[in-house]
């Protein structure tokens, strides 16, 4: 059974860069069928997709966040990472990593991490 | 404003049926993209309960069922139980604006 675990700072200052990692266990991140994703949920709001990456390096970003994002994969450690620059209060949220199955008729998330709360505050 | 529209809240007594709607447009559900549903309990990881509009992953009770027609989809919970009290989100793919994975705004289901 695949498990995902987020790790990162709980607190980030405005204008700084957020760095999060997601360690995958129970499955190989090099499995060709899956993409590795980030989703967030601001307090009191719904889910928002951030981006996903394949182990071959292909990335797809939410257009509204694209200019601030960098995703990467470390297959030797079976983990993937997110960097988001220029953090503001609006980026305060629980950040989830998730495994995404991509097929022609649409993609779905079949496994999720427990989430990591990131607060942006000075 | 979410690309997929859901009612903010719904409620039902134990044993009753609740149906949650998810309305999209011609750039997502209307184009033939499937819809997927997640159950989200506070402080927990979201859980996939319906994929490809009508399919249940292994282990999900058959009280949960999904359907899709045109630009709309729905999730039905029959025989409502206290443990079903949660937030429910629909999700699909939108082909507009360079393409995006999109979620509905979520529906809070309360068991009375």
């Amino acid at each position: 059974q695949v498990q995902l675990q987020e790790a990162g700072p709980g607190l980030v200052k405005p204008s700084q860069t957020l760095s999060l990692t997601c360690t995958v266990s129970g499955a190989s991140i090099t499995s060709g069928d899956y993409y590795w994703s980030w989703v967030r949920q601001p307090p009191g709001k719904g889910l928002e997709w951030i981006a996903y990456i394949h182990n071959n390096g292909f990335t797809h970003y939410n257009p509204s966040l694209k200019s601030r994002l960098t995703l990467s994969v470390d297959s030797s450690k079976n983990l993937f990472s997110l960097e988001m620059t220029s953090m503001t209060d609006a980026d305060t949220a629980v950040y989830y990593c998730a495994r995404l199955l991509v097929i022609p008729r649409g993609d779905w998330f079949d496994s999720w991490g427990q989430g990591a709360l990131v607060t942006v505050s000075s | 404003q979410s690309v997929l529209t859901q009612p903010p809240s719904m409620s039902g007594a134990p044993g009753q049926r609740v149906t949650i709607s998810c309305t999209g447009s011609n750039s997502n559900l209307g184009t033939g993209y499937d819809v997927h549903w997640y159950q989200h309990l506070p402080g927990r990881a979201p859980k996939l309960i319906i994929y490809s509009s009508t399919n249940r992953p292994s282990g999900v009770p058959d009280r949960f069922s999904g359907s899709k027609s045109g630009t709309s989809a729905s999730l039905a919970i029959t025989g409502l139980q206290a443990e079903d009290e949660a937030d429910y989100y629909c999700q699909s793919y939108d082909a507009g604006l360079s393409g995006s994975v999109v979620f509905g705004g979520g529906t809070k289901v309360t068991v009375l």
Side-chain angles (χ1 to χ4, degrees), chain A residues 18-32:
Chain A
L18 169 67
S19 295
L20 291 172
T21 61
C22 179
T23 300
V24 180
S25 58
S28 173
I29 204 165
T30 60
S31 169

Side-chain angles (χ1 to χ4, degrees), chain A residues 22-61:
Chain A
C22 179
T23 300
V24 180
S25 58
S28 173
I29 204 165
T30 60
S31 169
D33 295 334
Y34 294 99
Y35 292 68
W36 304 94
S37 314
W38 293 95
V39 176
R40 69 181 181 179
Q41 182 178 33
K45 296 187 178 181
L47 300 172
E48 177 185 31
W49 168 69
I50 298 172
Y52 60 72
I53 186 169
H54 191 268
N55 73 279
N56 65 10
F58 175 84
T59 54
H60 190 35
Y61 298 110

Side-chain angles (χ1 to χ4, degrees), chain A residues 39 41 45-49 52 60-63 96 100 103-110 112-114, chain B residues 32-34 36 38 40 43-48 51-52 89 91 93 97-101 103-105:
Chain A
V39 176
Q41 182 178 33
K45 296 187 178 181
L47 300 172
E48 177 185 31
W49 168 69
Y52 60 72
H60 190 35
Y61 298 110
N62 184 322
Y96 296 96
L100 181 71
I103 63 170
R105 285 187 58 173
D107 323 325
W108 69 85
F109 303 95
D110 69 343
W112 296 69
Q114 291 296 312
Chain B
Y33 290 110
D34 282 322
H36 320 288
Y38 303 88
H40 193 197
R44 303 282 297 275
K47 176 186 176 183
L48 178 71
Y51 67 94
S52 296
Y89 292 89
Q91 176 253 312
Y93 183 85
L97 295 175
S98 305
S100 290
V101 173
F103 287 95

